[in-house]
Amino acid sequence: MELKIEHVSKTYPNGVRALNNVSLHIKNGMFGLLGPNGAGKSTLMRTISALQDPDEGSIRFGDIDVLKDKQAVREVLGYLPQEFGLYPKVTALDFLDHLAVMKGVTNGKERKGLVESLLHQTNLWDVRKKRLGSFSGGMKQRFGIAQALIGNPKLIIVDEPTAGLDPTERYRFHNLLSEIGENVVVILSTHIVDDVSDLCHSMAIIHEGEVRLVGDPLDLVKQMEGRVWRMISEKSELELLESTHNVISSRLYMGRLQVRLFSDSQPSTESEPVAPEIEDLYFSTINDLGVNGEKE
Ligand code: ADP
């Protein structure tokens, strides 16, 4: 099934234009929606999940008109929000069972099988009788996936999943997401570039409420080949460099500044060519360096 988002805009009552004419066609598989904080990702995720209405635009998922037929959306949706309410005193097993009832799995035997298989799948079987309040961040996120998978969703939305997870938990969470399967649409909304590069065949970069770039991360990165340069600079020179060159990013490296530049030809004799990475694509896109055409 395909998710078709057409010309979706949203301005909040306080005047913030969170989404500006967003159009995206998303096919089965893992899709990464990448953007900095405040880009509009959560607004878009809530809109796709039929939790809030846009001012303009349409969203279709297969035959479902998402903005009109909210009940139909709920039946096919698995949603893992940034933060979801957990009852700290309830055990993982009991809460999952309760959620399965809420989602309409009323047959006791079927529900038992479902809950047990989800607990195994998310590696929470051993802690199923522990209270949710005692769970680590990674365990909570895996529980979030377990609850999102109840009822065989066809559309799974995961909002900022790995923020706050340690590297081991993140790795486990990535593995779990990658097992969900190719026959459902999974949208992973994140500001963490590695989440997308690790998992997604397809991605969009969103910034200031607008889609800035869409495509296969591998292809997009390939288009930058030969155009990314690295040089070591003094901290005091950064401002000058930024005013004369397309600085993609800069970071401290052994006390000195390592600067990555975007340029069709060698920007300075001290610079050396480097292989482009998704992070270069991301920063160049949100800084409008003209990766996909002319600089604006
Ligand atoms: P992201 O998920 O990418 O961080 P959000 O969708 O949460 O972005 O926010 C996009 C913009 O809309 C931000 O400027 C944010 O402050 C604003 N915003 C989000 N929710 C609301 C709201 N309920 N009322 C007013 N402004 C909001």
Side-chain angles (χ1 to χ4, degrees):
M1 282 227 262
E2 192 175 9
L3 180 71
K4 287 188 178 170
I5 303 165
E6 308 278 3
H7 309 294
V8 165
S9 294
K10 171 75 183 177
T11 303
Y12 284 110
N14 62 359
V16 173
R17 194 162 174 80
L19 297 174
N20 189 7
N21 198 15
V22 168
S23 295
L24 284 171
H25 291 187
I26 301 175
K27 294 198 165 73
N28 282 345
M30 188 87 73
F31 183 88
L33 183 73
L34 184 62
N37 286 332
K41 302 182 298 296
S42 291
T43 302
L44 185 60
M45 296 304 99
R46 288 197 301 265
T47 311
I48 298 169
S49 312
L51 294 171
Q52 83 179 50
D53 288 322
D55 303 328
E56 287 162 49
S58 67
I59 304 179
R60 293 194 73 84
F61 181 60
D63 294 336
I64 301 171
D65 182 331
V66 170
L67 304 178
K68 291 217 177 86
D69 197 352
K70 297 192 173 163
Q71 187 50 37
V73 179
R74 282 183 205 117
E75 282 167 18
V76 295
L77 180 75
Y79 181 54
L80 173 53
Q82 250 171 47
E83 278 179 29
F84 63 108
L86 283 175
Y87 295 93
K89 293 192 175 153
V90 181
T91 68
L93 179 72
D94 288 346
F95 198 38
L96 214 48
D97 185 72
H98 166 74
L99 291 170
V101 174
M102 305 285 283
K103 278 211 185 174
V105 190
T106 44
N107 179 306
K109 203 171 160 202
E110 183 193 341
R111 195 167 66 247
K112 186 167 184 281
L114 170 73
V115 165
E116 289 185 2
S117 93
L118 286 171
L119 286 165
H120 282 296
Q121 199 180 340
T122 51
N123 213 352
L124 291 171
W125 179 251
D126 293 346
V127 291
R128 68 192 181 282
K129 290 185 180 156
K130 290 219 160 106
R131 292 172 170 196
L132 292 166
S134 69
F135 273 22
S136 70
M139 285 152 76
K140 281 183 187 151
Q141 283 298 48
R142 280 184 279 132
F143 184 82
I145 281 289
Q147 63 82 29
L149 290 176
I150 298 172
N152 274 328
K154 297 277 170 270
L155 173 62
I156 298 177
I157 290 183
V158 190
D159 199 356
E160 297 278 357
T162 62
L165 297 191
D166 70 35
T168 315
E169 287 174 330
R170 213 180 120 239
Y171 179 71
R172 287 173 98 159
F173 189 73
H174 277 183
N175 276 339
L176 180 59
L177 277 181
S178 70
E179 282 166 11
I180 287 178
E182 289 293 308
N183 297 325
V184 287
V185 172
V186 184
I187 306 179
L188 178 67
S189 159
T190 181
H191 66 276
I192 299 169
V193 177
D194 288 344
D195 285 351
V196 172
S197 56
D198 287 358
L199 293 169
C200 303
H201 301 294
S202 190
M203 71 180 284
I205 294 176
I206 177 170
H207 185 42
E208 295 171 340
E210 291 177 1
V211 173
R212 297 285 170 91
L213 196 72
V214 191
D216 175 336
L218 260 182
D219 292 344
L220 292 167
V221 167
K222 227 174 185 173
Q223 283 172 25
M224 294 186 85
E225 258 167 29
R227 300 158 86 192
V228 180
W229 308 80
R230 180 177 57 198
M231 64 185 279
I232 303 294
S233 162
E234 294 302 328
K235 273 190 261 180
S236 56
E237 287 168 8
L238 182 62
E239 216 168 293
L240 179 66
L241 259 179
E242 280 177 332
S243 65
T244 52
H245 293 81
N246 286 331
V247 172
I248 298 171
S249 60
S250 59
R251 68 164 59 108
L252 279 173
Y253 181 67
M254 297 190 190
R256 302 188 79 199
L257 210 54
Q258 197 182 79
V259 184
R260 289 171 85 91
L261 302 165
F262 182 71
S263 173
D264 287 339
S265 55
Q266 190 180 25
S268 114
T269 48
E270 294 142 60
S271 62
E272 53 173 355
V274 284
E277 292 167 7
I278 292 204
E279 207 169 79
D280 297 315
L281 185 71
Y282 175 63
F283 286 119
S284 309
T285 302
I286 62 172
N287 293 327
D288 266 340
L289 298 185
V291 178
N292 233 8
E294 290 306 302
K295 186 179 175 181
E296 284 173 31

PDB file of all heavy atoms in Angstrom, residues 26-42:
ATOM      1  N   ILE A  26       4.928   7.596  -0.192  1.00  0.00           N
ATOM      2  CA  ILE A  26       5.741   6.660   0.575  1.00  0.00           C
ATOM      3  C   ILE A  26       5.257   5.235   0.329  1.00  0.00           C
ATOM      4  O   ILE A  26       4.089   4.903   0.565  1.00  0.00           O
ATOM      5  CB  ILE A  26       5.689   7.013   2.076  1.00  0.00           C
ATOM      6  CG1 ILE A  26       6.207   8.454   2.268  1.00  0.00           C
ATOM      7  CG2 ILE A  26       6.500   6.025   2.889  1.00  0.00           C
ATOM      8  CD1 ILE A  26       6.103   8.963   3.692  1.00  0.00           C
ATOM      9  N   LYS A  27       6.185   4.402  -0.135  1.00  0.00           N
ATOM     10  CA  LYS A  27       5.831   3.010  -0.459  1.00  0.00           C
ATOM     11  C   LYS A  27       6.201   2.088   0.703  1.00  0.00           C
ATOM     12  O   LYS A  27       6.806   2.518   1.684  1.00  0.00           O
ATOM     13  CB  LYS A  27       6.597   2.581  -1.715  1.00  0.00           C
ATOM     14  CG  LYS A  27       6.176   3.351  -2.955  1.00  0.00           C
ATOM     15  CD  LYS A  27       6.644   2.583  -4.196  1.00  0.00           C
ATOM     16  CE  LYS A  27       5.975   3.075  -5.451  1.00  0.00           C
ATOM     17  NZ  LYS A  27       6.443   4.380  -5.913  1.00  0.00           N
ATOM     18  N   ASN A  28       5.870   0.816   0.561  1.00  0.00           N
ATOM     19  CA  ASN A  28       6.214  -0.161   1.595  1.00  0.00           C
ATOM     20  C   ASN A  28       7.702  -0.166   1.884  1.00  0.00           C
ATOM     21  O   ASN A  28       8.519   0.072   1.011  1.00  0.00           O
ATOM     22  CB  ASN A  28       5.814  -1.564   1.142  1.00  0.00           C
ATOM     23  CG  ASN A  28       4.319  -1.802   1.301  1.00  0.00           C
ATOM     24  OD1 ASN A  28       3.641  -1.040   1.989  1.00  0.00           O
ATOM     25  ND2 ASN A  28       3.809  -2.840   0.669  1.00  0.00           N
ATOM     26  N   GLY A  29       8.039  -0.473   3.126  1.00  0.00           N
ATOM     27  CA  GLY A  29       9.441  -0.489   3.532  1.00  0.00           C
ATOM     28  C   GLY A  29       9.687   0.633   4.533  1.00  0.00           C
ATOM     29  O   GLY A  29       8.764   1.313   4.959  1.00  0.00           O
ATOM     30  N   MET A  30      10.955   0.794   4.872  1.00  0.00           N
ATOM     31  CA  MET A  30      11.302   1.753   5.930  1.00  0.00           C
ATOM     32  C   MET A  30      11.654   3.108   5.320  1.00  0.00           C
ATOM     33  O   MET A  30      12.582   3.223   4.534  1.00  0.00           O
ATOM     34  CB  MET A  30      12.499   1.179   6.674  1.00  0.00           C
ATOM     35  CG  MET A  30      12.884   1.925   7.890  1.00  0.00           C
ATOM     36  SD  MET A  30      12.000   1.380   9.350  1.00  0.00           S
ATOM     37  CE  MET A  30      12.789  -0.174   9.634  1.00  0.00           C
ATOM     38  N   PHE A  31      10.888   4.111   5.692  1.00  0.00           N
ATOM     39  CA  PHE A  31      11.094   5.457   5.154  1.00  0.00           C
ATOM     40  C   PHE A  31      11.592   6.361   6.283  1.00  0.00           C
ATOM     41  O   PHE A  31      10.995   6.411   7.361  1.00  0.00           O
ATOM     42  CB  PHE A  31       9.772   5.990   4.601  1.00  0.00           C
ATOM     43  CG  PHE A  31       9.877   7.342   3.959  1.00  0.00           C
ATOM     44  CD1 PHE A  31      10.197   7.462   2.612  1.00  0.00           C
ATOM     45  CD2 PHE A  31       9.673   8.506   4.702  1.00  0.00           C
ATOM     46  CE1 PHE A  31      10.299   8.723   2.010  1.00  0.00           C
ATOM     47  CE2 PHE A  31       9.769   9.760   4.109  1.00  0.00           C
ATOM     48  CZ  PHE A  31      10.086   9.865   2.763  1.00  0.00           C
ATOM     49  N   GLY A  32      12.663   7.080   6.053  1.00  0.00           N
ATOM     50  CA  GLY A  32      13.211   7.975   7.075  1.00  0.00           C
ATOM     51  C   GLY A  32      12.784   9.409   6.837  1.00  0.00           C
ATOM     52  O   GLY A  32      12.971   9.935   5.745  1.00  0.00           O
ATOM     53  N   LEU A  33      12.192  10.006   7.844  1.00  0.00           N
ATOM     54  CA  LEU A  33      11.862  11.430   7.770  1.00  0.00           C
ATOM     55  C   LEU A  33      12.829  12.147   8.703  1.00  0.00           C
ATOM     56  O   LEU A  33      12.736  12.043   9.920  1.00  0.00           O
ATOM     57  CB  LEU A  33      10.424  11.664   8.217  1.00  0.00           C
ATOM     58  CG  LEU A  33       9.965  13.111   8.102  1.00  0.00           C
ATOM     59  CD1 LEU A  33       9.738  13.480   6.633  1.00  0.00           C
ATOM     60  CD2 LEU A  33       8.694  13.350   8.899  1.00  0.00           C
ATOM     61  N   LEU A  34      13.764  12.845   8.088  1.00  0.00           N
ATOM     62  CA  LEU A  34      14.866  13.414   8.855  1.00  0.00           C
ATOM     63  C   LEU A  34      14.750  14.932   8.887  1.00  0.00           C
ATOM     64  O   LEU A  34      14.519  15.568   7.858  1.00  0.00           O
ATOM     65  CB  LEU A  34      16.167  12.990   8.147  1.00  0.00           C
ATOM     66  CG  LEU A  34      17.498  13.354   8.758  1.00  0.00           C
ATOM     67  CD1 LEU A  34      17.664  12.710  10.124  1.00  0.00           C
ATOM     68  CD2 LEU A  34      18.637  12.904   7.834  1.00  0.00           C
ATOM     69  N   GLY A  35      14.928  15.497  10.055  1.00  0.00           N
ATOM     70  CA  GLY A  35      14.890  16.958  10.150  1.00  0.00           C
ATOM     71  C   GLY A  35      15.257  17.386  11.554  1.00  0.00           C
ATOM     72  O   GLY A  35      15.097  16.619  12.506  1.00  0.00           O
ATOM     73  N   PRO A  36      15.733  18.628  11.682  1.00  0.00           N
ATOM     74  CA  PRO A  36      16.124  19.104  13.014  1.00  0.00           C
ATOM     75  C   PRO A  36      14.896  19.315  13.908  1.00  0.00           C
ATOM     76  O   PRO A  36      13.761  19.269  13.426  1.00  0.00           O
ATOM     77  CB  PRO A  36      16.810  20.442  12.722  1.00  0.00           C
ATOM     78  CG  PRO A  36      16.276  20.891  11.408  1.00  0.00           C
ATOM     79  CD  PRO A  36      15.926  19.637  10.640  1.00  0.00           C
ATOM     80  N   ASN A  37      15.129  19.567  15.185  1.00  0.00           N
ATOM     81  CA  ASN A  37      14.011  19.844  16.084  1.00  0.00           C
ATOM     82  C   ASN A  37      13.234  21.046  15.565  1.00  0.00           C
ATOM     83  O   ASN A  37      13.828  22.014  15.106  1.00  0.00           O
ATOM     84  CB  ASN A  37      14.527  20.157  17.497  1.00  0.00           C
ATOM     85  CG  ASN A  37      14.997  18.892  18.192  1.00  0.00           C
ATOM     86  OD1 ASN A  37      14.504  17.812  17.908  1.00  0.00           O
ATOM     87  ND2 ASN A  37      15.964  19.031  19.071  1.00  0.00           N
ATOM     88  N   GLY A  38      11.936  20.952  15.624  1.00  0.00           N
ATOM     89  CA  GLY A  38      11.101  22.069  15.177  1.00  0.00           C
ATOM     90  C   GLY A  38      10.811  22.053  13.686  1.00  0.00           C
ATOM     91  O   GLY A  38      10.129  22.944  13.169  1.00  0.00           O
ATOM     92  N   ALA A  39      11.309  21.043  12.966  1.00  0.00           N
ATOM     93  CA  ALA A  39      11.133  20.983  11.504  1.00  0.00           C
ATOM     94  C   ALA A  39       9.682  20.747  11.096  1.00  0.00           C
ATOM     95  O   ALA A  39       9.278  21.099   9.999  1.00  0.00           O
ATOM     96  CB  ALA A  39      12.013  19.883  10.917  1.00  0.00           C
ATOM     97  N   GLY A  40       8.918  20.123  11.985  1.00  0.00           N
ATOM     98  CA  GLY A  40       7.521  19.819  11.654  1.00  0.00           C
ATOM     99  C   GLY A  40       7.244  18.323  11.589  1.00  0.00           C
ATOM    100  O   GLY A  40       6.143  17.904  11.213  1.00  0.00           O
ATOM    101  N   LYS A  41       8.219  17.515  11.991  1.00  0.00           N
ATOM    102  CA  LYS A  41       8.075  16.053  11.878  1.00  0.00           C
ATOM    103  C   LYS A  41       6.895  15.529  12.703  1.00  0.00           C
ATOM    104  O   LYS A  41       6.075  14.782  12.197  1.00  0.00           O
ATOM    105  CB  LYS A  41       9.378  15.347  12.325  1.00  0.00           C
ATOM    106  CG  LYS A  41      10.608  15.744  11.550  1.00  0.00           C
ATOM    107  CD  LYS A  41      11.835  14.984  12.019  1.00  0.00           C
ATOM    108  CE  LYS A  41      12.221  15.223  13.462  1.00  0.00           C
ATOM    109  NZ  LYS A  41      12.636  16.612  13.788  1.00  0.00           N
ATOM    110  N   SER A  42       6.854  15.926  13.972  1.00  0.00           N
ATOM    111  CA  SER A  42       5.781  15.391  14.829  1.00  0.00           C
ATOM    112  C   SER A  42       4.417  15.855  14.341  1.00  0.00           C
ATOM    113  O   SER A  42       3.450  15.089  14.386  1.00  0.00           O
ATOM    114  CB  SER A  42       5.963  15.844  16.277  1.00  0.00           C
ATOM    115  OG  SER A  42       7.086  15.223  16.811  1.00  0.00           O
TER     116      SER A  42
END
